[in-house]
Amino acid sequence: MSAASISLIGFYGALGAYGLSVLAAWLQKHRISVMIFGIGWLAHSVSQLARGWYLGFFFPNPIVHELTFLPWCLAALGLGLRTVRTDTRMLRQAVMLVFVFSLVTMLFPKGVLAPFPKNQTIFSPLFFACEVLAHACFILGAWFGLLYLLRKSDSRLFHSLVIWGFVFYSVSQIIGAIWAYLGWGSPFHWSDRHLGSACLWCYYAAYVHLSFVAQWDLRKRAGIAALGAILAILFTANYQLFELRMLITGGHC
Amino acid sequence: MWRSIASVQLSIYLLFLAASNLGIAAGYLKWMPDTFRPLNKMPLPDWWSTYATADAWWIVTLLIVLSLLGVNTAACTVDRLCTLWPRRFDYGRQRFLVLLSPSLMHIFFLLALNGHALSLFNGVHKDLPLVQGDTIPVGNALVQVEWIQPRYWDNPLLKNPLKQCTIGLTFHIGSKTVSRELRFLKPFILDGWSYHLDANLNANPGEPPQLFLQVRKDPGLTLILIGGAAMSILMGWYFFQLSRLKNNSASPPKAVAL
């Protein structure tokens, strides 16, 4: 069986398991829901790893490609919270989000972006790994922030998620700057991609400072965290559509 | 007056303003790339005299907002350091370092911001087509393209299979002659100029991509990279220490926020 087939079957298996997990949670079978979710995440992990050999030789970038890596990171964060926190509701609340993002991934054509001379450096997969992990923290933080606003959760966890998202995002930006310098001659470019990233960084930098001003109470911060995900998804979608064109045409940036 | 300039509330407003401005800028770059992409090839004053129209308003507002943010950050940092430094012996060493790190992060942020300003106003960029046998003048040097050696992926799935390319260059600088090899992702600096290999990778299948010699002088590069890296590392360390303090609950996090 080829790596491409393993990757696809693994992903379909994960999607099915996430769906069953949502169903089990809805039926109040929480232990079963967690168990199926864990199995789904394992299948998803195998799928992600197999993407590294999709082209017949090892190329790490497809492993951390946002479309499939984002739901994997969301699932990993959910499972991590289940392990660290005693409150099991966190994972239940995350399961739905993982399922929705995996469904979105299904809508995109299957395949991986081909390598080109400028992405054959460790800085490229490192950049994407940190950036996608940051996006996952922002999105999960926004989801928990929204639940806090709707009074369906009383946890302040959304704040920690957004803070760590900001740390990962800052690290990704500096790794990206080094990669951009090596590959394109400058750490910053006047492009919608770079300006979108700067916009997101400033937004979350503002969020980080909110906790130092009394008038920005936890509910207001939850609102800002929830709105941030819209920005993150908007800029991500813009870049994913650009990459989709690359996938279809076989072109490069 | 000083209280207002150094207030965190002002930082928050300025950061939200900068985010909005940058979001709008991303839209302009997406929909008007022919007007704004040349900013990558020339200093802002040159671009302004050639390309600027009413659509460039966001550059002016962005520069104003980022300048105000720079002043506010500097004032905040000075204010905090003035409060913190006289009390440095009241805390343990570790705790003092935790308290000091936000100020250091802000100093590194200012370095990176100034680096961007330097690059924007004083950066020099040239894109020169690479053809074997050509001689290209760069500053005080003459650069001779000795040989071009492309390497391809042996994989029929890839439409553009260029894997790497090595260019043999000879530099004649006055009476000195220097030979260098240039590759993708392997730039080098010589005589104050940084040399990069670039290519139009969207060539038709079967056709070799057009190669370019990118020659740059970027006075802000070091500040951007060092400032950004140090800020990110400190940020990770600071939040890790905060969460440790919180988990140990030896001291509540509010006390750390000073």
Side-chain angles (χ1 to χ4, degrees), chain A residues 55 57 114-121 160 163-164 166-167 170-171 174 177-179 181-192 195-196 198-199 201-203 205-213 215-216 224 235 238 245 248-253, chain B residues 8-9 12-13 15-16 18-19 22-23 25-26 29-30 36-37 39-40 58 106 109 116 120 153 155 157-160 162-163 184-185 187 189 194 196-199 201-202 214 216 218 221 224-225 228-229 231-232 235-236 238-240 243 246 254 257:
Chain A
L55 294 166
F57 53 88
F116 65 104
K118 291 182 184 180
N119 69 0
Q120 288 163 61
T121 162
S160 304
I163 293 286
W164 281 105
F166 182 64
V167 172
S170 303
V171 171
I174 198 66
I178 296 169
W179 178 31
Y181 168 71
L182 294 175
W184 289 266
S186 175
F188 174 81
H189 283 86
W190 291 92
S191 67
D192 53 331
L195 288 165
C199 165
W201 191 87
C202 284
Y203 183 89
Y207 176 89
V208 167
H209 287 81
L210 295 181
S211 44
F212 297 103
V213 179
Q215 75 180 73
W216 290 90
I224 298 289
F235 287 122
N238 176 41
R245 280 199 299 275
I248 292 167
T249 61
H252 293 289
C253 41
Chain B
V8 180
Q9 185 67 55
I12 292 168
Y13 289 138
L15 281 164
F16 277 135
L22 287 160
L29 260 295
K30 185 167 177 67
F36 294 107
R37 286 251 173 176
L39 270 167
N40 292 311
W58 59 267
H106 286 103
F109 168 71
H116 279 294
L120 183 62
W153 290 101
N155 190 314
L157 287 172
L158 303 177
K159 285 185 188 169
N160 291 302
L162 183 66
K163 186 177 184 182
F184 287 112
L185 297 163
I189 296 172
S194 119
H196 304 256
L197 180 57
D198 196 10
L201 295 164
N202 291 322
Q214 262 190 4
R216 282 184 170 264
D218 190 345
L221 176 72
I224 294 170
L225 293 183
M231 184 181 70
S232 304
M235 200 189 291
Y238 173 72
F239 285 115
F240 177 71
S243 62
K246 204 169 152 186
K254 282 287 172 196

Side-chain angles (χ1 to χ4, degrees), chain A residues 240-253:
Chain A
Q240 289 311 316
L241 290 175
F242 168 76
E243 287 207 329
L244 183 63
R245 280 199 299 275
M246 294 293 129
L247 188 64
I248 292 167
T249 61
H252 293 289
C253 41

Side-chain angles (χ1 to χ4, degrees), chain B residues 20-94:
Chain B
S20 315
N21 208 148
L22 287 160
I24 292 166
Y28 271 103
L29 260 295
K30 185 167 177 67
W31 304 114
M32 299 176 73
D34 293 341
T35 307
F36 294 107
R37 286 251 173 176
L39 270 167
N40 292 311
K41 308 276 179 190
M42 55 183 81
L44 181 65
D46 296 355
W47 178 88
W48 193 266
S49 57
T50 317
Y51 290 94
T53 60
D55 291 318
W57 64 269
W58 59 267
I59 297 183
V60 180
T61 52
L62 185 62
L63 289 178
I64 293 169
V65 170
L66 291 180
S67 305
L68 290 174
L69 184 64
V71 172
N72 167 253
T73 308
C76 265
T77 309
V78 169
D79 202 39
R80 193 181 148 87
L81 283 174
C82 287
T83 314
L84 190 60
W85 194 251
R87 292 159 62 185
R88 64 189 176 281
F89 299 116
D90 300 347
Y91 309 107
R93 197 169 146 220
Q94 169 90 357

Side-chain angles (χ1 to χ4, degrees), chain B residues 61-254:
Chain B
T61 52
L62 185 62
L63 289 178
I64 293 169
V65 170
L66 291 180
S67 305
L68 290 174
L69 184 64
V71 172
N72 167 253
T73 308
C76 265
T77 309
V78 169
D79 202 39
R80 193 181 148 87
L81 283 174
C82 287
T83 314
L84 190 60
W85 194 251
R87 292 159 62 185
R88 64 189 176 281
F89 299 116
D90 300 347
Y91 309 107
R93 197 169 146 220
Q94 169 90 357
R95 192 175 172 80
F96 179 68
L97 282 175
V98 173
L99 289 168
L100 187 67
S101 52
S103 304
L104 295 177
M105 274 180 242
H106 286 103
I107 290 170
F108 287 120
F109 168 71
L110 285 173
L111 281 183
L113 200 62
N114 280 303
H116 279 294
L118 272 175
S119 299
L120 183 62
F121 284 94
N122 299 310
V124 182
H125 179 120
K126 291 175 190 170
D127 266 348
L128 307 159
L130 274 170
V131 179
Q132 192 164 322
D134 272 8
T135 302
I136 309 163
V138 177
N140 299 324
L142 278 177
V143 186
Q144 199 167 347
V145 185
E146 302 284 359
W147 44 268
I148 297 177
Q149 202 174 66
R151 273 196 300 139
Y152 296 96
W153 290 101
D154 183 19
N155 190 314
L157 287 172
L158 303 177
K159 285 185 188 169
N160 291 302
L162 183 66
K163 186 177 184 182
Q164 183 53 282
C165 191
T166 311
I167 315 287
L169 300 171
T170 304
F171 292 80
H172 304 281
I173 310 163
S175 57
K176 204 168 64 174
T177 301
V178 181
S179 290
R180 287 289 177 95
E181 285 185 0
L182 184 63
R183 293 186 186 88
F184 287 112
L185 297 163
K186 304 269 182 206
F188 60 81
I189 296 172
L190 188 70
D191 205 29
W193 294 90
S194 119
Y195 293 85
H196 304 256
L197 180 57
D198 196 10
N200 173 16
L201 295 164
N202 291 322
N204 293 325
E207 282 179 21
Q210 171 65 58
L211 297 168
F212 295 95
L213 179 65
Q214 262 190 4
V215 188
R216 282 184 170 264
K217 235 178 207 169
D218 190 345
L221 176 72
T222 316
L223 289 179
I224 294 170
L225 293 183
I226 291 179
M231 184 181 70
S232 304
I233 292 166
L234 268 173
M235 200 189 291
W237 181 80
Y238 173 72
F239 285 115
F240 177 71
Q241 293 298 327
L242 271 197
S243 62
R244 258 187 57 193
L245 282 172
K246 204 169 152 186
N247 290 340
N248 294 344
S249 60
S251 51
K254 282 287 172 196

Side-chain angles (χ1 to χ4, degrees), chain A residues 50-62:
Chain A
R51 285 172 66 83
W53 282 269
Y54 205 101
L55 294 166
F57 53 88
F58 182 67
F59 177 52
N61 287 35

